[in-house]
Structures are given as structure tokens and as C-alpha cells.
Amino acid sequence: NRQNVQQIKESNRKVVEQLQEEKNEYEQRIRMLQSRLWAIELRESTPVARICEIAKKREEHPTSKEWEDATKAIEQRFPCMGMIKEIKNIGPVEYRTCLLLKAEIGLSDIVYLMNTDHAKLAMLRMRKQAKICNMDGKARDFDSYLRQLL
């Protein structure tokens, strides 16, 4: 009888652990989806929309005021971005790139807006992965990290 009780306890403990893992995965997925929804809203209805328009037309570059307004809009929606800037001491170009990635602006558009090329952008993202996350990884790992932040 005592052995049955122990087996039941162990079985229940394993079930609870499995359910906790599933819960954590669902919560992470919810955060990711919320972040994506907010990024879509930013691209469609805030000063970020103007940045997107400029990137698509490829005829001009954003003014200082447009960058400032877009930065404020992204930071307002995602306060975590301001904390990254303060805590990790990253430069203005790196920070703008992080903001654009957080708003899920396309990589080709970021290349245009930041006046760089795809290889340099990938290298910047890998360096930010190392600096901000304290781990080596691929450029897309850093993108995933930014997307999950709220």
C-alpha cells in the first residue's frame, strides 16, 4: 500500500512537471504573439508607419524628427527597449537597428534605412546577441530574443 502511494505521488509529480512545462511554453507563445500584434499595430498606425513608407519607396531617408517620433512610439509600446538601451549601453545606430527589429521591419528595409548591407546587418545582430544576451548565436537568434520581449 505504501509503495502504491509512492508510485502515485511520483506519477503525479511527473504530470505536474509536464503540465508546468506546457504552461511555460504556452505563456512564451502568447508573449510572442502579443509582441507580433503590437509590432503590426506600430507599423500601421504610428510614426513607425512613416519609417516603413520611406523604406518601401527608397527615395529618401527619415529625418531626425521622424526617427525621434518612431523611437518614442516603439519605446512606449515596448518599454523593455529603453531598458536594453540603458542597461547594455549600446550606440544609437545599434539601438535604432534593435528598434526596427522589434517593430518587425523587414531586413531589406532595415538595410536601406540604416544605409548598410545584409552582411553587416547580420554581423551587428550577432554582436548584439553576444552583448545583450551574453551568448553566441546566429543573427536570427537575436531577432527571436527581441520578439519575445514585452
Side-chain angles (χ1 to χ4, degrees):
N1 194 18
R2 190 175 265 242
Q3 188 177 11
N4 286 342
V5 169
Q6 284 301 101
Q7 287 176 341
I8 292 170
K9 282 182 178 181
E10 181 62 21
S11 176
N12 286 343
R13 186 188 62 74
K14 288 179 181 178
V15 168
V16 168
E17 285 178 4
Q18 177 63 32
L19 290 172
Q20 186 63 45
E21 285 179 30
E22 289 177 20
K23 177 185 174 235
N24 292 341
E25 289 173 14
Y26 284 123
E27 287 173 345
Q28 183 176 2
R29 181 83 174 128
I30 288 168
R31 281 193 307 275
M32 182 77 72
L33 292 171
Q34 183 64 59
S35 178
R36 295 197 89 159
L37 175 63
W38 287 344
I40 290 167
E41 290 171 356
L42 275 171
R43 291 191 313 267
E44 293 177 351
S45 64
T46 69
V48 179
R50 173 69 182 136
I51 300 289
C52 291
E53 178 185 329
I54 290 169
K56 295 291 181 220
K57 289 183 179 178
R58 294 197 172 20
E59 295 172 358
E60 58 184 318
H61 278 82
T63 66
S64 300
K65 175 80 168 108
E66 288 167 331
W67 275 122
E68 184 180 321
D69 292 346
T71 297
K72 286 179 184 174
I74 296 169
E75 287 176 342
Q76 183 177 11
R77 174 53 78 189
F78 298 109
C80 59
M81 297 307 293
M83 291 185 294
I84 283 178
K85 181 181 177 184
E86 292 172 20
I87 294 170
K88 298 301 180 176
N89 190 28
I90 61 177
V93 171
E94 296 168 323
Y95 186 59
R96 272 188 189 160
T97 303
C98 290
L99 291 173
L100 294 172
L101 289 166
K102 182 62 181 167
E104 297 191 27
I105 307 297
L107 295 178
S108 293
D109 292 340
I110 294 173
V111 163
Y112 174 77
L113 290 166
M114 302 311 297
N115 197 27
T116 190
D117 60 50
H118 284 278
K120 288 179 184 172
L121 178 60
M123 185 60 67
L124 181 141
R125 290 157 52 220
M126 288 190 304
R127 284 195 318 264
K128 294 309 107 198
Q129 170 77 8
K131 186 173 186 176
I132 293 174
C133 303
N134 296 319
M135 60 191 334
D136 291 334
K138 297 178 180 165
R140 69 175 170 253
D141 296 333
F142 183 63
D143 301 351
S144 296
Y145 167 78
L146 284 178
R147 276 193 213 104
Q148 61 90 25
L149 292 177
L150 293 178

